[in-house]
Amino acid sequence: MTRRKLTGDEIDLWHKVVKHAERIHPGAHSTPPALPMPKPKPVKQPEPRLDPFQIGSRARPKPLKHDLKPSIARSLAGDPVQMDEKSFRRMKRGKLKPEGKLDLHGMRIDSAHPSLTRFILSAQASGKRLVLVITGKGKDRDEPGPMPVPRGVLRHKVPQWLSLPPLAQAVMQVTPAHISHGGEGAYYVYLRRSR
């Protein structure tokens, strides 16, 4: 078992104790035992001085954006490609011609959902593979109010509806349309073959 070395603080404390202590046997030791001197502690270099800072001095105002979810295009781009890769690239570039089109522009949710369901299921039954669903980009609200409301309610709802039964079994891929077919205000819906 090795002996533990004394720290510098312990040695300093010992020297203070020895100075103030009285000897029990005054003639026994004329000099106190030599203790190792503590190693000098490394001197810390002062931190570089920073420029004075005032709260808000470098803040850049950000425009208010009430859409808390990621954009539809970004979330759809993250979905894995289920269809043929070459056909997918051609579709995204607007090179594939849609075989059918549904315009939901200006419809309310309660009438748009059944129309979409009818259209997708009948398109699949008739053997169509690529259809175009036009939702429109939506309009900005005059008064945003306390709750965030996404711009273009149908634009947000249609991909959700397409991922739920009964449409999920018919839909293979959903992606925003090319600018020539409506851009952000429309979706390509690639359908599975009916069995």
Side-chain angles (χ1 to χ4, degrees), residues 57-122:
S57 63
R58 295 184 182 164
R60 292 185 180 94
K62 293 182 180 177
L64 285 177
K65 187 176 180 185
H66 290 297
D67 198 355
L68 303 177
K69 296 183 281 189
S71 73
I72 299 294
R74 187 175 297 145
S75 62
L76 288 176
D79 290 347
V81 177
Q82 302 290 328
M83 58 189 283
D84 176 51
E85 187 74 37
K86 186 177 178 184
S87 298
F88 180 72
R89 285 196 305 269
R90 289 187 67 225
M91 180 178 71
K92 284 195 60 112
R93 289 195 315 255
K95 302 295 183 191
L96 291 181
K97 187 173 190 248
E99 301 168 68
K101 177 170 74 170
L102 173 67
D103 192 352
L104 300 175
H105 222 140
M107 283 189 176
R108 301 180 72 84
I109 289 178
D110 56 351
S111 60
H113 192 193
S115 296
L116 178 69
T117 304
R118 252 189 326 274
F119 173 72
I120 294 295
L121 295 178
S122 66

